[in-house]
Amino acid sequence: MKRHVLTLFELTAEEIHEVFALSHELKRDLAAGIREPILPGRVMAMLFEKQSLRTRVSFETAMAHLGGSTLFLGQDVGWGKRESAADFSQVLSSYVDVVVCRTTAHSRIEELAQYCTCPVINGLTDSAHPCQALADLFTLEEIHGKLEGKKLAFIGDSNNVAKSLAVCCAKLGMEFAVASPSGYTFDKPFLAELEREVPGAKLTQTAKPREAVRDAIGVYTDVWTSMGQEAESEQRKIAFKDYQVDVALMEGAPEGAVFLHCLPAKRGEEVTADVIDGHYSAVIPQAANRMHVQKGLIAWLLGERP
């Protein structure tokens, strides 16, 4: 059966654990020098409208390790310009086995998925970044073991990354605490959807970073100004000036708590260099896990792993 992964609302907790189990297995295989070509001849289209390092390279490498191949499609293919969305989506998915899409408005990927006859994976939209959140929680599981009942803190803008983390935490029985200034908290439609789709989700919203990090096994932040928000940069520097993750804030979390960031980072803004480059930081293994978890997700979606 065709499955899309546009947000993590579309996966059950059991399915997330299945993806994690596959990812762990494939990561162990790779460490042992095994790159079993379980997807020979399969082709992934990568439809990207925004810049990318981690998402693009990790997906391309993952597919190569699995024995398949990728096509990188930029603006030249004319998505939404040269022909109707229905024609474009049906033709594209008649050529390939899976599509990874990184675009602006979430409605664009929903329209693409509506007509695609193969799975569509969200590589980032303005409201969701599910593959990032899966890799983040996978990283915490590697470090801290079973996640249920534990807490993750997010400091900063309640953006697409924070939303996907909130959903993933809720699905896996974790508490998610967000510290944001006024005007940068979760919007009401998202909160209503979270409550409707994952009743009883443990979500805390606060304006106090120290309150958010208390009892948290991970402290997460993102840039204050994301792609497409450059005109708001100065305004955001003022709004988020009290939301920097520094050593003093990390010391407010329990011993063993790690620092996470989806990268790229701006040292001296949302995080100090002694945190992101110091002993708290798990950002490099976190970034590396993008490939391992996406490999598990691809294998899970295409049903080629026993």
Side-chain angles (χ1 to χ4, degrees):
M1 182 178 69
K2 178 185 68 176
R3 291 288 300 271
H4 300 309
V5 181
L6 306 189
T7 76
L8 292 177
F9 285 124
E10 291 155 354
L11 297 180
T12 66
E14 181 180 7
E15 289 170 338
I16 293 172
H17 286 301
E18 289 174 2
V19 171
F20 282 6
L22 265 175
S23 304
H24 282 298
E25 181 181 344
L26 292 166
K27 184 175 180 177
R28 285 194 298 269
D29 284 353
L30 184 65
I34 301 169
R35 300 185 185 190
E36 184 182 359
I38 60 176
L39 297 177
R42 298 297 189 100
V43 179
M44 169 184 284
M46 303 183 64
L47 186 60
F48 277 37
E49 291 187 315
K50 302 186 86 171
Q51 294 176 320
S52 175
L53 169 65
R54 279 154 293 280
T55 301
R56 177 178 177 177
V57 177
S58 58
F59 265 114
E60 289 195 9
T61 307
M63 199 61 179
H65 285 179
L66 294 170
S69 59
T70 56
L71 296 170
F72 185 81
L73 306 177
Q75 300 286 353
D76 56 312
V77 295
W79 178 30
K81 296 179 181 176
R82 295 177 57 231
E83 54 192 320
S84 72
D87 288 351
F88 180 93
S89 305
Q90 291 179 88
V91 171
L92 175 64
S93 55
S94 72
Y95 297 144
V96 304
D97 300 283
V98 58
V99 177
V100 176
C101 177
R102 184 176 174 93
T103 185
T104 51
H106 193 76
S107 57
R108 293 207 12 101
I109 197 170
E110 289 178 327
E111 186 176 40
L112 177 77
Q114 178 183 350
Y115 298 109
C116 271
T117 55
C118 70
V120 175
I121 299 172
N122 184 347
L124 181 142
T125 64
D126 60 350
S127 63
H129 201 356
C131 295
Q132 178 69 57
L134 287 173
D136 301 334
L137 273 292
F138 178 87
T139 303
L140 282 178
E141 185 180 78
E142 283 188 322
I143 297 169
H144 291 285
K146 186 178 179 182
L147 296 176
E148 185 177 3
K150 295 177 180 169
K151 176 183 176 183
L152 173 62
F154 186 95
I155 312 300
D157 190 8
S158 301
N159 59 12
N160 51 355
V161 175
K163 285 180 178 178
S164 291
L165 286 169
V167 178
C168 204
C169 285
K171 294 270 183 175
L172 298 181
M174 291 185 72
E175 179 180 355
F176 188 61
V178 189
S180 306
S182 176
Y184 297 93
T185 57
F186 285 135
D187 56 80
K188 289 182 180 179
F190 171 75
L191 292 173
E193 186 176 19
L194 182 65
E195 178 59 30
R196 184 177 64 249
E197 297 294 331
V198 196
K202 293 192 69 176
L203 172 66
T204 301
Q205 291 197 95
T206 175
K208 301 176 180 177
R210 291 190 68 84
E211 180 180 317
V213 305
R214 191 179 305 134
D215 303 323
I217 60 170
V219 178
Y220 200 121
T221 192
D222 192 1
V223 290
W224 292 342
T225 303
S226 298
M227 282 186 288
Q229 299 170 334
E230 289 78 6
E232 305 171 20
S233 177
E234 293 307 312
Q235 171 190 333
R236 285 173 168 269
K237 284 180 182 177
I238 295 170
F240 288 101
K241 64 182 176 58
D242 296 326
Y243 291 82
Q244 183 184 70
V245 178
D246 56 16
V247 169
L249 185 63
M250 290 301 303
E251 288 176 344
E255 184 176 357
V258 296
F259 173 75
L260 298 170
H261 194 302
C262 50
L263 300 177
K266 289 192 173 180
R267 290 163 174 79
E269 288 195 10
E270 76 274 8
V271 60
T272 57
D274 52 1
V275 169
I276 193 170
D277 299 322
H279 69 276
Y280 292 111
S281 183
V283 299
I284 300 305
Q286 174 193 4
N289 278 335
R290 292 290 308 275
M291 182 190 72
H292 301 297
V293 176
Q294 286 156 194
K295 193 187 293 184
L297 179 62
I298 297 164
W300 182 81
L301 274 173
L302 298 185
E304 295 293 339
R305 194 72 176 174

mmCIF file of all heavy atoms in Angstrom, residues 258-304:
data_model
loop_
_atom_site.group_PDB
_atom_site.id
_atom_site.type_symbol
_atom_site.label_atom_id
_atom_site.label_comp_id
_atom_site.label_asym_id
_atom_site.label_seq_id
_atom_site.Cartn_x
_atom_site.Cartn_y
_atom_site.Cartn_z
ATOM 1 N N VAL A 258 21.968 16.335 26.800
ATOM 2 C CA VAL A 258 22.787 16.678 25.629
ATOM 3 C C VAL A 258 22.177 17.861 24.892
ATOM 4 O O VAL A 258 20.974 18.134 24.995
ATOM 5 C CB VAL A 258 22.929 15.483 24.660
ATOM 6 C CG1 VAL A 258 23.684 14.355 25.331
ATOM 7 C CG2 VAL A 258 21.572 15.017 24.149
ATOM 8 N N PHE A 259 23.038 18.552 24.147
ATOM 9 C CA PHE A 259 22.586 19.661 23.313
ATOM 10 C C PHE A 259 22.376 19.180 21.880
ATOM 11 O O PHE A 259 23.231 18.487 21.317
ATOM 12 C CB PHE A 259 23.621 20.797 23.318
ATOM 13 C CG PHE A 259 23.290 21.885 22.340
ATOM 14 C CD1 PHE A 259 22.274 22.795 22.610
ATOM 15 C CD2 PHE A 259 23.958 21.974 21.127
ATOM 16 C CE1 PHE A 259 21.940 23.780 21.694
ATOM 17 C CE2 PHE A 259 23.632 22.970 20.210
ATOM 18 C CZ PHE A 259 22.620 23.872 20.497
ATOM 19 N N LEU A 260 21.251 19.577 21.293
ATOM 20 C CA LEU A 260 20.912 19.184 19.925
ATOM 21 C C LEU A 260 20.595 20.427 19.094
ATOM 22 O O LEU A 260 20.052 21.413 19.598
ATOM 23 C CB LEU A 260 19.696 18.254 19.919
ATOM 24 C CG LEU A 260 19.846 16.922 20.661
ATOM 25 C CD1 LEU A 260 18.484 16.232 20.768
ATOM 26 C CD2 LEU A 260 20.836 16.006 19.957
ATOM 27 N N HIS A 261 20.914 20.353 17.813
ATOM 28 C CA HIS A 261 20.642 21.453 16.880
ATOM 29 C C HIS A 261 20.514 20.837 15.501
ATOM 30 O O HIS A 261 21.305 19.976 15.122
ATOM 31 C CB HIS A 261 21.797 22.460 16.912
ATOM 32 C CG HIS A 261 21.511 23.780 16.266
ATOM 33 N ND1 HIS A 261 21.130 23.912 14.952
ATOM 34 C CD2 HIS A 261 21.562 25.047 16.767
ATOM 35 C CE1 HIS A 261 20.962 25.202 14.665
ATOM 36 N NE2 HIS A 261 21.205 25.917 15.752
ATOM 37 N N CYS A 262 19.537 21.297 14.697
ATOM 38 C CA CYS A 262 19.328 20.700 13.377
ATOM 39 C C CYS A 262 20.346 21.194 12.355
ATOM 40 O O CYS A 262 20.443 20.620 11.275
ATOM 41 C CB CYS A 262 17.903 20.974 12.907
ATOM 42 S SG CYS A 262 17.404 22.707 13.024
ATOM 43 N N LEU A 263 21.094 22.262 12.657
ATOM 44 C CA LEU A 263 22.120 22.843 11.794
ATOM 45 C C LEU A 263 21.506 23.357 10.474
ATOM 46 O O LEU A 263 20.524 22.780 10.028
ATOM 47 C CB LEU A 263 23.250 21.849 11.511
ATOM 48 C CG LEU A 263 24.003 21.343 12.745
ATOM 49 C CD1 LEU A 263 25.058 20.308 12.308
ATOM 50 C CD2 LEU A 263 24.655 22.468 13.540
ATOM 51 N N PRO A 264 22.060 24.363 9.862
ATOM 52 C CA PRO A 264 23.270 25.082 10.285
ATOM 53 C C PRO A 264 23.009 25.962 11.504
ATOM 54 O O PRO A 264 21.868 26.387 11.724
ATOM 55 C CB PRO A 264 23.617 25.942 9.058
ATOM 56 C CG PRO A 264 22.309 26.136 8.354
ATOM 57 C CD PRO A 264 21.528 24.890 8.572
ATOM 58 N N ALA A 265 24.072 26.225 12.276
ATOM 59 C CA ALA A 265 23.950 26.995 13.517
ATOM 60 C C ALA A 265 24.669 28.331 13.386
ATOM 61 O O ALA A 265 25.606 28.473 12.591
ATOM 62 C CB ALA A 265 24.546 26.200 14.668
ATOM 63 N N LYS A 266 24.245 29.290 14.192
ATOM 64 C CA LYS A 266 24.929 30.579 14.269
ATOM 65 C C LYS A 266 25.469 30.749 15.693
ATOM 66 O O LYS A 266 24.724 31.114 16.612
ATOM 67 C CB LYS A 266 23.984 31.721 13.904
ATOM 68 C CG LYS A 266 23.629 31.749 12.433
ATOM 69 C CD LYS A 266 22.945 33.041 12.032
ATOM 70 C CE LYS A 266 22.745 33.116 10.521
ATOM 71 N NZ LYS A 266 22.081 34.363 10.097
ATOM 72 N N ARG A 267 26.747 30.447 15.850
ATOM 73 C CA ARG A 267 27.385 30.574 17.159
ATOM 74 C C ARG A 267 27.352 32.038 17.600
ATOM 75 O O ARG A 267 27.648 32.925 16.807
ATOM 76 C CB ARG A 267 28.813 30.045 17.101
ATOM 77 C CG ARG A 267 28.886 28.539 16.935
ATOM 78 C CD ARG A 267 30.248 28.082 16.471
ATOM 79 N NE ARG A 267 30.369 26.618 16.452
ATOM 80 C CZ ARG A 267 29.868 25.845 15.490
ATOM 81 N NH1 ARG A 267 29.216 26.379 14.466
ATOM 82 N NH2 ARG A 267 30.028 24.530 15.559
ATOM 83 N N GLY A 268 26.982 32.251 18.851
ATOM 84 C CA GLY A 268 26.875 33.611 19.364
ATOM 85 C C GLY A 268 25.468 34.174 19.253
ATOM 86 O O GLY A 268 25.187 35.225 19.806
ATOM 87 N N GLU A 269 24.594 33.486 18.528
ATOM 88 C CA GLU A 269 23.177 33.875 18.508
ATOM 89 C C GLU A 269 22.387 32.859 19.327
ATOM 90 O O GLU A 269 22.347 32.958 20.547
ATOM 91 C CB GLU A 269 22.649 33.993 17.072
ATOM 92 C CG GLU A 269 23.208 35.225 16.367
ATOM 93 C CD GLU A 269 22.450 35.585 15.090
ATOM 94 O OE1 GLU A 269 21.376 35.018 14.819
ATOM 95 O OE2 GLU A 269 22.947 36.474 14.357
ATOM 96 N N GLU A 270 21.810 31.852 18.675
ATOM 97 C CA GLU A 270 20.936 30.935 19.427
ATOM 98 C C GLU A 270 21.715 30.012 20.352
ATOM 99 O O GLU A 270 21.131 29.419 21.258
ATOM 100 C CB GLU A 270 20.058 30.128 18.471
ATOM 101 C CG GLU A 270 20.760 28.990 17.734
ATOM 102 C CD GLU A 270 21.455 29.442 16.453
ATOM 103 O OE1 GLU A 270 21.510 30.671 16.227
ATOM 104 O OE2 GLU A 270 21.933 28.576 15.708
ATOM 105 N N VAL A 271 23.020 29.863 20.128
ATOM 106 C CA VAL A 271 23.832 28.978 20.983
ATOM 107 C C VAL A 271 25.256 29.537 21.080
ATOM 108 O O VAL A 271 25.773 30.131 20.116
ATOM 109 C CB VAL A 271 23.856 27.539 20.419
ATOM 110 C CG1 VAL A 271 24.447 27.481 19.029
ATOM 111 C CG2 VAL A 271 24.602 26.598 21.359
ATOM 112 N N THR A 272 25.864 29.359 22.238
ATOM 113 C CA THR A 272 27.247 29.785 22.403
ATOM 114 C C THR A 272 28.193 28.693 21.901
ATOM 115 O O THR A 272 27.847 27.498 21.889
ATOM 116 C CB THR A 272 27.546 30.093 23.876
ATOM 117 O OG1 THR A 272 27.259 28.924 24.661
ATOM 118 C CG2 THR A 272 26.706 31.251 24.376
ATOM 119 N N ALA A 273 29.380 29.102 21.502
ATOM 120 C CA ALA A 273 30.338 28.148 20.945
ATOM 121 C C ALA A 273 30.743 27.086 21.963
ATOM 122 O O ALA A 273 30.954 25.919 21.603
ATOM 123 C CB ALA A 273 31.578 28.902 20.450
ATOM 124 N N ASP A 274 30.839 27.470 23.257
ATOM 125 C CA ASP A 274 31.268 26.470 24.243
ATOM 126 C C ASP A 274 30.216 25.396 24.496
ATOM 127 O O ASP A 274 30.537 24.330 25.048
ATOM 128 C CB ASP A 274 31.697 27.140 25.566
ATOM 129 C CG ASP A 274 30.666 28.102 26.116
ATOM 130 O OD1 ASP A 274 29.600 28.251 25.495
ATOM 131 O OD2 ASP A 274 30.935 28.713 27.167
ATOM 132 N N VAL A 275 28.981 25.637 24.077
ATOM 133 C CA VAL A 275 27.961 24.585 24.182
ATOM 134 C C VAL A 275 27.984 23.709 22.926
ATOM 135 O O VAL A 275 28.130 22.490 23.006
ATOM 136 C CB VAL A 275 26.552 25.189 24.388
ATOM 137 C CG1 VAL A 275 25.475 24.108 24.218
ATOM 138 C CG2 VAL A 275 26.458 25.792 25.778
ATOM 139 N N ILE A 276 27.868 24.315 21.764
ATOM 140 C CA ILE A 276 27.751 23.497 20.538
ATOM 141 C C ILE A 276 29.066 22.782 20.206
ATOM 142 O O ILE A 276 29.058 21.712 19.576
ATOM 143 C CB ILE A 276 27.279 24.350 19.337
ATOM 144 C CG1 ILE A 276 26.860 23.440 18.169
ATOM 145 C CG2 ILE A 276 28.330 25.360 18.913
ATOM 146 C CD1 ILE A 276 26.162 24.166 17.046
ATOM 147 N N ASP A 277 30.198 23.342 20.654
ATOM 148 C CA ASP A 277 31.489 22.698 20.396
ATOM 149 C C ASP A 277 32.039 21.988 21.625
ATOM 150 O O ASP A 277 33.160 21.474 21.597
ATOM 151 C CB ASP A 277 32.507 23.753 19.921
ATOM 152 C CG ASP A 277 32.062 24.428 18.632
ATOM 153 O OD1 ASP A 277 31.498 23.732 17.764
ATOM 154 O OD2 ASP A 277 32.251 25.653 18.519
ATOM 155 N N GLY A 278 31.282 21.982 22.708
ATOM 156 C CA GLY A 278 31.777 21.415 23.962
ATOM 157 C C GLY A 278 31.220 20.034 24.267
ATOM 158 O O GLY A 278 30.637 19.375 23.396
ATOM 159 N N HIS A 279 31.385 19.615 25.515
ATOM 160 C CA HIS A 279 31.056 18.232 25.874
ATOM 161 C C HIS A 279 29.556 17.949 25.907
ATOM 162 O O HIS A 279 29.129 16.795 25.901
ATOM 163 C CB HIS A 279 31.679 17.885 27.235
ATOM 164 C CG HIS A 279 31.047 18.603 28.386
ATOM 165 N ND1 HIS A 279 31.415 19.879 28.748
ATOM 166 C CD2 HIS A 279 30.073 18.229 29.251
ATOM 167 C CE1 HIS A 279 30.708 20.262 29.798
ATOM 168 N NE2 HIS A 279 29.887 19.278 30.123
ATOM 169 N N TYR A 280 28.722 18.990 25.963
ATOM 170 C CA TYR A 280 27.272 18.766 25.935
ATOM 171 C C TYR A 280 26.783 18.341 24.549
ATOM 172 O O TYR A 280 25.743 17.714 24.418
ATOM 173 C CB TYR A 280 26.530 20.062 26.277
ATOM 174 C CG TYR A 280 26.680 20.551 27.696
ATOM 175 C CD1 TYR A 280 27.396 21.707 27.992
ATOM 176 C CD2 TYR A 280 26.075 19.858 28.754
ATOM 177 C CE1 TYR A 280 27.513 22.168 29.291
ATOM 178 C CE2 TYR A 280 26.188 20.313 30.062
ATOM 179 C CZ TYR A 280 26.916 21.473 30.323
ATOM 180 O OH TYR A 280 27.031 21.921 31.606
ATOM 181 N N SER A 281 27.520 18.711 23.518
ATOM 182 C CA SER A 281 26.990 18.658 22.159
ATOM 183 C C SER A 281 26.912 17.251 21.564
ATOM 184 O O SER A 281 27.867 16.477 21.632
ATOM 185 C CB SER A 281 27.844 19.529 21.242
ATOM 186 O OG SER A 281 27.303 19.542 19.936
ATOM 187 N N ALA A 282 25.762 16.965 20.953
ATOM 188 C CA ALA A 282 25.579 15.710 20.193
ATOM 189 C C ALA A 282 25.220 16.036 18.746
ATOM 190 O O ALA A 282 24.658 15.203 18.038
ATOM 191 C CB ALA A 282 24.498 14.858 20.841
ATOM 192 N N VAL A 283 25.540 17.250 18.280
ATOM 193 C CA VAL A 283 25.028 17.689 16.979
ATOM 194 C C VAL A 283 25.643 16.925 15.799
ATOM 195 O O VAL A 283 24.960 16.732 14.785
ATOM 196 C CB VAL A 283 25.203 19.216 16.780
ATOM 197 C CG1 VAL A 283 24.440 20.002 17.837
ATOM 198 C CG2 VAL A 283 26.647 19.625 16.754
ATOM 199 N N ILE A 284 26.891 16.497 15.914
ATOM 200 C CA ILE A 284 27.486 15.779 14.776
ATOM 201 C C ILE A 284 26.898 14.373 14.638
ATOM 202 O O ILE A 284 26.433 14.000 13.539
ATOM 203 C CB ILE A 284 29.017 15.758 14.890
ATOM 204 C CG1 ILE A 284 29.557 17.208 14.891
ATOM 205 C CG2 ILE A 284 29.625 14.980 13.729
ATOM 206 C CD1 ILE A 284 29.130 18.054 13.700
ATOM 207 N N PRO A 285 26.851 13.558 15.707
ATOM 208 C CA PRO A 285 26.152 12.273 15.554
ATOM 209 C C PRO A 285 24.677 12.442 15.213
ATOM 210 O O PRO A 285 24.099 11.612 14.502
ATOM 211 C CB PRO A 285 26.341 11.592 16.922
ATOM 212 C CG PRO A 285 26.836 12.643 17.853
ATOM 213 C CD PRO A 285 27.527 13.661 17.022
ATOM 214 N N GLN A 286 24.065 13.512 15.707
ATOM 215 C CA GLN A 286 22.665 13.806 15.348
ATOM 216 C C GLN A 286 22.535 14.015 13.841
ATOM 217 O O GLN A 286 21.638 13.454 13.203
ATOM 218 C CB GLN A 286 22.219 15.062 16.098
ATOM 219 C CG GLN A 286 20.833 15.588 15.742
ATOM 220 C CD GLN A 286 20.590 16.997 16.288
ATOM 221 O OE1 GLN A 286 21.484 17.620 16.871
ATOM 222 N NE2 GLN A 286 19.389 17.508 16.123
ATOM 223 N N ALA A 287 23.435 14.805 13.256
ATOM 224 C CA ALA A 287 23.399 15.033 11.808
ATOM 225 C C ALA A 287 23.704 13.740 11.049
ATOM 226 O O ALA A 287 23.071 13.450 10.029
ATOM 227 C CB ALA A 287 24.394 16.120 11.426
ATOM 228 N N ALA A 288 24.661 12.970 11.541
ATOM 229 C CA ALA A 288 25.000 11.703 10.873
ATOM 230 C C ALA A 288 23.811 10.755 10.856
ATOM 231 O O ALA A 288 23.606 10.000 9.885
ATOM 232 C CB ALA A 288 26.184 11.048 11.582
ATOM 233 N N ASN A 289 23.005 10.806 11.902
ATOM 234 C CA ASN A 289 21.851 9.905 11.975
ATOM 235 C C ASN A 289 20.764 10.233 10.967
ATOM 236 O O ASN A 289 19.871 9.414 10.734
ATOM 237 C CB ASN A 289 21.274 9.897 13.394
ATOM 238 C CG ASN A 289 22.047 8.969 14.309
ATOM 239 O OD1 ASN A 289 22.678 8.009 13.853
ATOM 240 N ND2 ASN A 289 22.003 9.233 15.609
ATOM 241 N N ARG A 290 20.816 11.454 10.365
ATOM 242 C CA ARG A 290 19.854 11.732 9.294
ATOM 243 C C ARG A 290 19.931 10.625 8.237
ATOM 244 O O ARG A 290 18.917 10.143 7.761
ATOM 245 C CB ARG A 290 20.156 13.098 8.645
ATOM 246 C CG ARG A 290 19.916 14.315 9.526
ATOM 247 C CD ARG A 290 18.429 14.554 9.789
ATOM 248 N NE ARG A 290 17.650 14.600 8.578
ATOM 249 C CZ ARG A 290 17.482 15.690 7.810
ATOM 250 N NH1 ARG A 290 18.047 16.821 8.166
ATOM 251 N NH2 ARG A 290 16.731 15.651 6.725
ATOM 252 N N MET A 291 21.149 10.236 7.851
ATOM 253 C CA MET A 291 21.299 9.230 6.818
ATOM 254 C C MET A 291 20.797 7.863 7.292
ATOM 255 O O MET A 291 20.060 7.172 6.578
ATOM 256 C CB MET A 291 22.761 9.095 6.397
ATOM 257 C CG MET A 291 22.958 8.081 5.272
ATOM 258 S SD MET A 291 24.684 7.708 4.948
ATOM 259 C CE MET A 291 25.122 6.737 6.380
ATOM 260 N N HIS A 292 21.165 7.476 8.495
ATOM 261 C CA HIS A 292 20.781 6.146 8.971
ATOM 262 C C HIS A 292 19.258 6.009 9.102
ATOM 263 O O HIS A 292 18.673 4.984 8.741
ATOM 264 C CB HIS A 292 21.463 5.862 10.305
ATOM 265 C CG HIS A 292 22.964 5.913 10.230
ATOM 266 N ND1 HIS A 292 23.689 5.047 9.449
ATOM 267 C CD2 HIS A 292 23.867 6.746 10.821
ATOM 268 C CE1 HIS A 292 24.982 5.327 9.563
ATOM 269 N NE2 HIS A 292 25.110 6.350 10.381
ATOM 270 N N VAL A 293 18.623 7.050 9.633
ATOM 271 C CA VAL A 293 17.180 6.963 9.849
ATOM 272 C C VAL A 293 16.424 7.078 8.525
ATOM 273 O O VAL A 293 15.411 6.399 8.315
ATOM 274 C CB VAL A 293 16.731 8.039 10.861
ATOM 275 C CG1 VAL A 293 15.204 8.014 11.026
ATOM 276 C CG2 VAL A 293 17.404 7.799 12.203
ATOM 277 N N GLN A 294 16.899 7.911 7.627
ATOM 278 C CA GLN A 294 16.241 7.986 6.316
ATOM 279 C C GLN A 294 16.424 6.677 5.547
ATOM 280 O O GLN A 294 15.527 6.254 4.807
ATOM 281 C CB GLN A 294 16.773 9.192 5.540
ATOM 282 C CG GLN A 294 16.207 10.480 6.107
ATOM 283 C CD GLN A 294 17.025 11.712 5.867
ATOM 284 O OE1 GLN A 294 16.769 12.713 6.504
ATOM 285 N NE2 GLN A 294 18.005 11.664 4.989
ATOM 286 N N LYS A 295 17.539 6.025 5.743
ATOM 287 C CA LYS A 295 17.736 4.714 5.120
ATOM 288 C C LYS A 295 16.691 3.732 5.655
ATOM 289 O O LYS A 295 16.068 2.977 4.899
ATOM 290 C CB LYS A 295 19.160 4.206 5.417
ATOM 291 C CG LYS A 295 19.565 3.021 4.562
ATOM 292 C CD LYS A 295 20.902 2.453 4.996
ATOM 293 C CE LYS A 295 22.048 3.400 4.737
ATOM 294 N NZ LYS A 295 23.360 2.776 5.080
ATOM 295 N N GLY A 296 16.490 3.773 6.969
ATOM 296 C CA GLY A 296 15.467 2.916 7.569
ATOM 297 C C GLY A 296 14.075 3.270 7.074
ATOM 298 O O GLY A 296 13.254 2.383 6.807
ATOM 299 N N LEU A 297 13.801 4.555 6.919
ATOM 300 C CA LEU A 297 12.483 4.996 6.449
ATOM 301 C C LEU A 297 12.243 4.556 5.009
ATOM 302 O O LEU A 297 11.155 4.076 4.670
ATOM 303 C CB LEU A 297 12.390 6.515 6.563
ATOM 304 C CG LEU A 297 11.078 7.154 6.100
ATOM 305 C CD1 LEU A 297 9.900 6.678 6.939
ATOM 306 C CD2 LEU A 297 11.180 8.679 6.140
ATOM 307 N N ILE A 298 13.242 4.702 4.154
ATOM 308 C CA ILE A 298 13.090 4.288 2.747
ATOM 309 C C ILE A 298 12.830 2.784 2.672
ATOM 310 O O ILE A 298 11.922 2.324 1.969
ATOM 311 C CB ILE A 298 14.356 4.639 1.936
ATOM 312 C CG1 ILE A 298 14.586 6.148 1.897
ATOM 313 C CG2 ILE A 298 14.255 4.099 0.516
ATOM 314 C CD1 ILE A 298 16.000 6.519 1.451
ATOM 315 N N ALA A 299 13.641 2.020 3.397
ATOM 316 C CA ALA A 299 13.473 0.557 3.373
ATOM 317 C C ALA A 299 12.100 0.169 3.919
ATOM 318 O O ALA A 299 11.440 -0.736 3.392
ATOM 319 C CB ALA A 299 14.584 -0.102 4.184
ATOM 320 N N TRP A 300 11.658 0.876 4.962
ATOM 321 C CA TRP A 300 10.343 0.590 5.547
ATOM 322 C C TRP A 300 9.222 0.932 4.557
ATOM 323 O O TRP A 300 8.281 0.153 4.362
ATOM 324 C CB TRP A 300 10.182 1.385 6.838
ATOM 325 C CG TRP A 300 8.901 1.143 7.561
ATOM 326 C CD1 TRP A 300 8.586 0.106 8.387
ATOM 327 C CD2 TRP A 300 7.726 1.976 7.496
ATOM 328 N NE1 TRP A 300 7.295 0.235 8.850
ATOM 329 C CE2 TRP A 300 6.752 1.375 8.317
ATOM 330 C CE3 TRP A 300 7.416 3.158 6.832
ATOM 331 C CZ2 TRP A 300 5.484 1.926 8.497
ATOM 332 C CZ3 TRP A 300 6.149 3.712 7.003
ATOM 333 C CH2 TRP A 300 5.199 3.099 7.830
ATOM 334 N N LEU A 301 9.329 2.066 3.906
ATOM 335 C CA LEU A 301 8.278 2.491 2.978
ATOM 336 C C LEU A 301 8.184 1.588 1.757
ATOM 337 O O LEU A 301 7.100 1.268 1.281
ATOM 338 C CB LEU A 301 8.556 3.922 2.502
ATOM 339 C CG LEU A 301 8.051 5.061 3.365
ATOM 340 C CD1 LEU A 301 8.556 6.383 2.821
ATOM 341 C CD2 LEU A 301 6.535 5.073 3.463
ATOM 342 N N LEU A 302 9.343 1.160 1.252
ATOM 343 C CA LEU A 302 9.349 0.346 0.038
ATOM 344 C C LEU A 302 9.225 -1.140 0.346
ATOM 345 O O LEU A 302 9.192 -1.962 -0.567
ATOM 346 C CB LEU A 302 10.607 0.638 -0.788
ATOM 347 C CG LEU A 302 10.718 2.088 -1.292
ATOM 348 C CD1 LEU A 302 11.948 2.245 -2.197
ATOM 349 C CD2 LEU A 302 9.461 2.537 -2.026
ATOM 350 N N GLY A 303 9.199 -1.469 1.631
ATOM 351 C CA GLY A 303 8.897 -2.844 2.036
ATOM 352 C C GLY A 303 9.885 -3.870 1.594
ATOM 353 O O GLY A 303 9.529 -4.995 1.283
ATOM 354 N N GLU A 304 11.157 -3.491 1.572
ATOM 355 C CA GLU A 304 12.165 -4.412 1.053
ATOM 356 C C GLU A 304 13.046 -5.009 2.152
ATOM 357 O O GLU A 304 14.021 -5.660 1.854
ATOM 358 C CB GLU A 304 13.060 -3.690 0.050
ATOM 359 C CG GLU A 304 12.328 -3.233 -1.190
ATOM 360 C CD GLU A 304 11.837 -4.386 -2.051
ATOM 361 O OE1 GLU A 304 12.391 -5.492 -1.905
ATOM 362 O OE2 GLU A 304 10.915 -4.188 -2.855
#
